[in-house]
């Protein structure tokens, strides 16, 4: 709602600006304003009092001035707009330019465009394909978010940055090509792209934002190009080159070894991975963040390694087959609903030097009915997560990790 209000304020400011003019071209009333670009007077399309609809071609010139930009919210909520051809010469598609154009099925973007800015095509729910031409350097935050029928996307190497949430909730997106030359992928860039099965990270990428592939629960292949000095794939995980940050995980595997060196299991990283039956966490892990393993229905047994201090909110919520958890003495906080909905949970094992009463208190404060659980001491295994580690057992008896 806040984003919508901001957009409307920007659009109203533009639409009723002092320089606003209009001209009828091929039966369509176009609203525009003039600006100077390197000493040349140019036009930018702006929102007007009429609603744009149907199949439209933006004129290459208007009022005698070349059209160079599509301004903030120019076609905002034009739900009856079905196709748009943007002429050569236009260099910028502004914030919210086609925001919530829910009937838009086709758009032609010329090679002269350099920026597709924030929320430019957000909510264009009937848009099935878009060709981003070579020459575009920036894809803004939320630019194609919620384009729910978009099935494929090819991002040319001229693009320096893919913005935050740029393709979030494109839930029909099955294929993405990120070309060599792209430098950064923003936070949540592909959040909720639930049909995306593979992604290749070119060697040019130096930054992948937090949770860029969160809730891509069919993502079963991640490839990092040779020569990339920032990221690598190890044990079905995308990690930073130093191994300290877990960036993304591949789904569809019943056993996952988190690479040694990883410091935290990020927010909702394995959320709803119904294939996951066992996870080996290394001793480098310090926090299990909010919702990290939420809804992992087939996870039967978890050993939290010594060194972990915090088990975050909802960390193992709704792991309905989870029967036993081993908690080390290093844990000082088990937070809200960390084990809520774990209806099969019966056994809590505390490391040999741990305080069972302290663990009971933390679980109770997290909303766990400790009265139905049994507690005992066990010597926690050291789990380094290296290639030599093995996981044995089955979903009924639980799993044992042996380094």
């Amino acid at each position: 709602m806040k984003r919508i209000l901001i957009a409307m304020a920007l659009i109203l400011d533009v639409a009723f600006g002092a320089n606003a003019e209009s001209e009828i071209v091929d039966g369509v009333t176009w609203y525009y304003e003039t600006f100077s670009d390197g000493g040349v007077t140019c036009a930018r399309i702006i929102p007007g009092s009429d609603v744009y609809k149907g199949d439209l071609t933006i004129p290459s010139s208007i009022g005698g001035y070349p059209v160079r930009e599509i301004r903030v919210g120019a076609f905002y909520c034009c739900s009856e707009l079905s196709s748009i051809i943007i002429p050569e010469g236009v260099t910028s598609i502004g914030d919210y330019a086609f925001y919530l154009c829910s009937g838009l099925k086709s758009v032609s973007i010329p090679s002269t465009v350099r920026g597709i800015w924030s929320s430019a095509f957000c909510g264009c729910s009937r848009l099935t394909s878009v060709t981003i031409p070579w020459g575009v350097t920036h894809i803004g935050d939320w630019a194609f978010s919620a384009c729910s029928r978009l099935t494929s996307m090819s991002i040319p190497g001229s693009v320096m940055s893919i913005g935050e949430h740029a393709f979030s909730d494109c839930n029909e997106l099955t294929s993405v090509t990120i070309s060599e030359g792209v430098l950064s992928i923003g936070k949540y860039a592909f959040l909720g792209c639930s049909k995306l099965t593979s992604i290749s990270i070119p060697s040019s990428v130096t930054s992948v934002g937090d949770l860029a592939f969160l809730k891509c629960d069919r993502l079963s292949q991640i490839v990092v190009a040779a020569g990339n000095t920032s990221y690598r794939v190890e044990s079905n995980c995308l990690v930073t080159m130093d191994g300290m940050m877990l960036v993304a995980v591949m789904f569809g595997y019943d056993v996952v070894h988190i690479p040694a060196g990883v410091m935290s299991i990020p927010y909702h990283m394995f959320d709803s991975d119904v294939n996951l039956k066992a996870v080996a966490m290394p001793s480098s892990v310090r926090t299990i963040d909010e919702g990290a393993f939420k809804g992992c229905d087939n996870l039967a047994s978890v050993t939290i390694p010594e060194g972990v201090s915090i088990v975050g909110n909802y960390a193992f919520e709704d792991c309905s087959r989870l029967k036993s958890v081993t908690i080390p003495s290093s844990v000082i906080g088990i937070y809200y609903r960390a084990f809520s909905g774990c209806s099969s949970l019966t056994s809590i094992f505390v490391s040999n030097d741990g305080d069972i009463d302290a663990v009971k208190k933390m679980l109770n404060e997290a909303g766990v009915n400790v009265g139905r659980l049994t507690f005992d001491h066990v010597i926690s295994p050291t789990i380094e997560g290296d290639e030599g580690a093995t996981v044995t057992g089955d979903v009924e008896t639980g799993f044992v990790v042996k380094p």
Side-chain angles (χ1 to χ4, degrees), residues 23-26 28 30 43 45 56-63 65-68 75 84-88 90:
E23 182 174 285
I24 298 174
V25 178
D26 294 330
V28 178
W30 295 94
I45 303 298
L56 295 181
T57 299
I58 298 174
S60 58
S61 65
I62 190 167
Y65 307 110
V67 174
R68 289 291 178 264
F75 298 87
I84 192 81
I85 297 174
I86 302 171
E88 287 290 330
V90 170

Side-chain angles (χ1 to χ4, degrees), residues 27-49:
V28 178
T29 301
W30 295 94
Y31 296 84
Y32 69 98
E33 64 181 8
T34 57
F35 68 101
S36 179
D37 182 10
V40 177
T41 302
C42 302
R44 61 167 64 99
I45 303 298
I46 64 173
S49 57

Side-chain angles (χ1 to χ4, degrees), residues 108-155:
S108 175
I109 301 174
S111 61
T112 49
V113 167
R114 297 295 175 261
I116 301 172
W117 299 108
S118 178
S119 302
F121 294 95
C122 180
C124 294
S125 56
R126 294 192 182 181
L127 197 60
T128 58
S129 66
V130 177
T131 299
I132 298 177
W134 177 273
V136 171
T137 58
H138 291 89
I139 299 174
D141 299 347
W142 306 86
F144 294 93
S145 178
C147 290
S148 55
R149 297 190 188 181
L150 197 63
T151 58
S152 65
M153 177 56 61
S154 181
I155 300 168

Side-chain angles (χ1 to χ4, degrees), residues 215 217 251 268-276 291-297:
K215 294 187 181 295
D217 51 17
F251 282 70
H268 289 270
M269 182 57 68
F270 290 90
D271 191 335
S272 302
D273 187 350
V274 295
N275 295 291
L276 187 65
F293 296 96
K294 176 182 169 66
C296 293
D297 286 344

Side-chain angles (χ1 to χ4, degrees), residues 70 98 356:
I70 299 173
F98 296 92
I356 288 179

Side-chain angles (χ1 to χ4, degrees), residues 6 83 86 154 183 195 237 247 249 342:
I6 291 171
S83 71
I86 302 171
S154 181
L183 299 178
K195 292 189 176 179
C237 298
V247 180
V249 295
C342 297

